[in-house]
Amino acid sequence: MKHILFFTFVLFTVQCGKDLSPFGGEPNVTPLPKRIKPEWPSPDWKVVTPESVGVSSAKLKLVEEYAFTRTGDEADRKGRRTDGLVILRNGKLIYEKYARNFKEDKVHLTWSVTKSILQAMYGVAVKQGLIKLDDPGYYHYEPLSRDEAHKKITIRHLLNMSSGLAAEEGYESGPLKSSVIAMLYTRGRKDMGSFCANLPLRSEPGTHVYYSSCDTNILSAILKKVYGAEEYDKLPFEQIFKPLGITNVTFERDGSGTYVGSSYLYMTARDLAKIGYLYLNDGVWNGERLLPEGWVTLARTPAPGYKTTPYSDDLAQDNYTAHWYANTGVPNRGIHEPWPDAPADTFAALGHWGQMLYVIPSLDLIVVRFGDDREKAFIKNDFLKLVKESVIR
Amino acid sequence: MKRKLSIFLSLLFLVLLFWAQWNWKHLSSFPSIISSFYAKEYCSCYFVMELSEDQCHDFARQWVPISEFKLDKEILSVTVKGLGRTNTAKFQSKEYGCTLVNE
């Protein structure tokens, strides 16, 4: 009996000593620096030497070594497996290298980076006045009207990964109950939006940040209803890819013709850099505003729901925003910045197996890294530290 | 002793039965994951990313091996059998890539 009491006491005190109290106020989202006469890729990026824009070639070699040094063979799929790396400074291409049979004109699966492009599609819909951030989803999409609790889910909640829907975002780790695997490959694949909208709620919408591909595919299904199937099919191609001069691109759909906004966009590294450049320029492309004012700020601001999300170590790994990632820290939830060696204004679109798009406004840098990492061998902070150190002025 | 063991085993069996029933929707769709994942990801790897057949096998491979595989370059499809379930992914077009064929 004594033992049991002691064991219980230990179990309860294990969590003590961890300071879960807030250590500060709101995340600090700095305004984007004014860009003097930005260069536009028309039709493609201008290629210059790193030194001509204040970057050290010798230091870039260290970035290259980190990214491209292989530690396993093709069969074991171990280690860092970089497929492509593109770096831009001041809107000019200063570094480009590919591996594992990828080339500059080959598209690559971007996995969850797709979510950040879907965020741009929403920017277009908001700018056109077809949708408002605080609209309840069911205004536009009937499956979300199944009960009063589901009716409370707004577009903003979905963009902030705070719908409260009881999704399970595990891939290889927990295939049996993973809702993302069921959605993509089995029970949900015919109609991912409807499959996701039918999940029960685990918490009040807006109060709990939980990264979920389901939230994204409900958003994608809502857009189809807002535009109608025919216009929706053209939406990303005509409203985003065409203005940016992106022609070599594939966006896959589910069994009902809804874009798999969570996972299945294929682009070249040079073209994905254009998406980063659109956001670096606050949603303006070559003088034309594609995304509404404040839309990029929304993408750079950690989700408000963090304040009320129960603390966990997993939570502290990312600063999730509205379908992008920030590096501000979330002081009012006791969460530090995930990449302490990168500038605090770094923001990113990230995907499964090592797909990355970084935008660093204070250094005027865009970095695209494609990969096929099957284990956690590519440490983002180590990589970003080397990138930052390559800038000499 | 024997009796105790048989009671224990029957209880264990009952618990398992309840667990299986409780998780039936997850369990029943689980075997399909292997072939549908392989078919879909191979199809996109080969027809969208245009990588080699070998590289695409390496890309789509999982821990559970598959039992049958067919890449059809005529009708642009990939059919895979694994854990007793068969799934097919079809290449639609350059814009829309591959989609799993609804069962």
Side-chain angles (χ1 to χ4, degrees):
Chain A
M1 191 64 199
K2 256 190 196 166
H3 285 118
I4 291 171
L5 276 173
F6 177 73
F7 181 72
T8 316
F9 176 76
V10 167
L11 207 67
F12 274 106
T13 52
V14 140
Q15 275 302 316
C16 291
K18 195 178 189 63
D19 180 21
L20 303 185
S21 62
F23 65 83
E26 293 290 319
N28 178 25
V29 183
T30 51
L32 288 169
K34 277 268 175 288
R35 304 189 72 255
I36 323 288
K37 284 205 216 153
E39 291 265 346
W40 297 98
S42 52
D44 212 340
W45 300 109
K46 196 169 164 187
V47 182
V48 298
T49 60
E51 272 70 16
S52 69
V53 287
V55 176
S56 150
S57 301
K59 290 276 174 69
L60 275 183
K61 262 273 168 268
L62 301 177
V63 175
E64 176 173 300
E65 273 170 27
Y66 185 86
F68 287 99
T69 304
R70 288 290 305 277
T71 48
D73 58 26
E74 284 307 314
D76 70 7
R77 303 194 297 198
K78 280 192 166 20
R80 294 195 288 270
R81 293 155 39 99
T82 298
D83 291 333
L85 180 59
V86 160
I87 303 175
L88 291 120
R89 179 110 207 259
N90 303 351
K92 301 180 188 78
L93 197 134
I94 55 167
Y95 180 90
E96 183 176 33
K97 184 178 157 90
Y98 299 92
R100 300 178 67 252
N101 304 316
F102 280 92
K103 304 197 294 277
E104 71 176 62
D105 60 352
K106 242 193 204 317
V107 295
H108 194 287
L109 173 55
T110 67
W111 284 116
S112 288
V113 168
T114 309
K115 293 180 169 83
S116 303
I117 285 87
L118 184 116
Q119 200 261 6
M121 286 159 70
Y122 261 81
V124 170
V126 166
K127 190 165 177 291
Q128 292 176 338
L130 295 169
I131 218 161
K132 290 190 179 67
L133 262 181
D134 292 309
D135 280 354
Y138 85 95
Y139 280 14
H140 306 282
Y141 186 58
E142 190 269 333
L144 281 178
S145 63
R146 52 186 296 223
D147 55 38
E148 290 311 306
H150 281 74
K151 281 183 178 175
K152 288 185 186 166
I153 301 171
T154 67
I155 304 296
R156 189 191 296 271
H157 294 153
L158 290 160
L159 282 168
N160 282 141
M161 292 289 179
S162 312
S163 67
L165 290 166
E168 286 298 333
E169 191 80 11
Y171 281 87
E172 294 88 346
S173 51
L176 184 62
K177 286 204 172 176
S178 159
S179 56
V180 69
I181 288 187
M183 174 190 81
L184 293 174
Y185 302 110
T186 61
R187 291 179 292 125
R189 73 193 209 200
K190 277 197 194 89
D191 185 345
M192 298 183 192
S194 151
F195 168 81
C196 291
N198 277 302
L199 289 171
L201 282 158
R202 67 153 68 92
S203 50
E204 178 79 8
T207 65
H208 185 142
V209 180
Y210 180 84
Y211 179 91
S212 157
S213 290
C214 258
D215 283 11
T216 311
N217 288 331
I218 292 172
L219 284 169
S220 186
I222 289 172
L223 274 188
K224 190 164 75 172
K225 282 278 188 257
V226 167
Y227 280 92
E230 207 174 312
E231 282 303 304
Y232 171 81
D233 279 351
K234 293 187 283 192
L235 174 69
F237 293 92
E238 295 204 343
Q239 300 290 340
I240 294 164
F241 303 144
K242 199 170 154 190
L244 271 56
I246 297 170
T247 52
N248 183 11
V249 57
T250 299
F251 201 166
E252 291 172 334
R253 302 171 303 173
D254 70 4
S256 69
T258 304
Y259 285 114
V260 186
S262 63
S263 318
Y264 285 143
L265 179 66
Y266 298 74
M267 292 174 99
T268 67
R270 282 181 173 223
D271 283 345
L272 184 55
K274 291 178 181 173
I275 298 284
Y277 203 60
L278 170 69
Y279 278 71
L280 177 66
N281 286 282
D282 199 28
V284 174
W285 189 265
N286 208 351
E288 187 196 351
R289 178 163 280 289
L290 300 183
L291 308 176
E293 287 204 31
W295 199 252
V296 174
T297 306
L298 180 78
R300 296 173 59 223
T301 308
Y306 270 117
K307 282 200 274 294
T308 46
T309 305
Y311 188 92
S312 73
D313 287 345
D314 281 357
L315 200 68
Q317 285 171 14
D318 299 311
N319 299 166
Y320 205 74
T321 62
H323 272 55
W324 283 72
Y325 291 84
N327 193 36
T328 53
V330 190
N332 51 20
R333 176 68 286 185
I335 296 172
H336 290 270
E337 59 274 53
W339 317 306
D341 291 312
D345 67 349
T346 303
F347 63 106
L350 303 170
H352 197 44
W353 293 348
Q355 319 320 315
M356 301 164 194
L357 158 63
Y358 294 104
V359 182
I360 313 178
S362 54
L363 298 177
D364 206 328
L365 277 173
I366 307 269
V367 182
V368 173
R369 187 263 179 176
F370 284 147
D372 192 20
D373 306 331
R374 303 302 176 100
E375 49 180 22
K376 285 193 167 44
F378 193 98
I379 311 302
K380 298 181 183 85
N381 187 54
D382 295 354
F383 171 73
L384 288 168
K385 183 172 190 275
L386 293 169
V387 169
K388 186 179 84 175
E389 287 169 352
S390 72
V391 177
I392 40 185
R393 60 177 159 77
Chain B
M1 187 63 202
K2 255 191 183 168
R3 200 160 144 235
K4 268 189 185 165
L5 190 71
S6 59
I7 287 172
F8 173 75
L9 285 175
S10 353
L11 275 174
L12 189 72
F13 179 71
L14 270 176
V15 167
L16 274 176
L17 209 65
F18 272 112
W19 180 83
Q21 195 182 7
W22 193 251
N23 290 288
W24 187 244
K25 70 172 183 191
H26 299 294
L27 280 171
S28 59
S29 59
F30 178 74
S32 192
I33 290 170
I34 302 302
S35 53
S36 54
F37 178 92
Y38 206 114
K40 157 69 188 72
E41 300 311 337
Y42 191 101
C43 178
S44 300
C45 174
Y46 188 79
F47 293 113
V48 178
M49 292 198 268
E50 296 174 343
L51 295 169
S52 71
E53 291 180 41
D54 279 353
Q55 195 166 349
C56 289
H57 277 297
D58 265 335
F59 181 73
R61 184 161 49 84
Q62 297 154 91
W63 303 116
V64 182
I66 55 169
S67 47
E68 283 172 36
F69 174 87
K70 184 171 189 291
L71 165 64
D72 191 324
K73 296 178 190 176
E74 295 281 300
I75 60 162
L76 315 178
S77 76
V78 178
T79 302
V80 177
K81 188 177 181 188
L83 288 183
R85 305 282 179 92
T86 303
N87 274 286
T88 300
K90 241 179 119 25
F91 178 73
Q92 318 284 332
S93 65
K94 167 68 188 166
E95 287 89 357
Y96 303 125
C98 290
T99 307
L100 281 162
V101 176
N102 290 333
E103 291 155 308

